[in-house]
Amino acid sequence: HKNLLQILVAVSGQVKIHMETPQGATYDFLLDHPTKGLYVPSLHWRTLQMSHNAVLLCLASEVYSEEDYIREYDTFKQ
């Protein structure tokens, strides 16, 4: 996202998150309990790997806007 901020919570199952900063640093996180949350700043690329029973809750700072999405990795890298 260009502007949106998020908090992700796995309310069921497990979610593995691989995140990359605009500077290229990478981080891996595991959400496996509903008491854990992950803050995702704007302009961070992330990929999610969800277990078969995963339910992911996303708390967002803004209402949905298609214009805020960065859909292609190459665009993110620019």
Side-chain angles (χ1 to χ4, degrees), residues 13 26 38 43 64 69 72-73:
T26 61
L38 177 65
L43 297 175
Y64 173 81
Y69 277 74
E72 301 295 328
Y73 182 75

Side-chain angles (χ1 to χ4, degrees), residues 40-58:
V40 181
S42 58
L43 297 175
H44 281 62
W45 188 261
R46 67 259 195 200
T47 56
L48 307 176
Q49 183 180 14
M50 301 174 74
S51 67
H52 72 281
N53 63 333
V55 176
L56 183 64
L57 171 68
C58 177

Side-chain angles (χ1 to χ4, degrees), residues 7-18 28-40 48-51 53-58:
I7 296 176
L8 303 177
V9 178
V11 295
S12 177
Q14 293 186 348
V15 179
K16 294 178 183 178
I17 301 164
H18 179 77
D28 292 300
F29 302 94
L30 176 64
L31 297 177
D32 58 358
H33 195 273
T35 60
K36 293 181 182 179
L38 177 65
Y39 169 69
V40 181
L48 307 176
Q49 183 180 14
M50 301 174 74
S51 67
N53 63 333
V55 176
L56 183 64
L57 171 68
C58 177

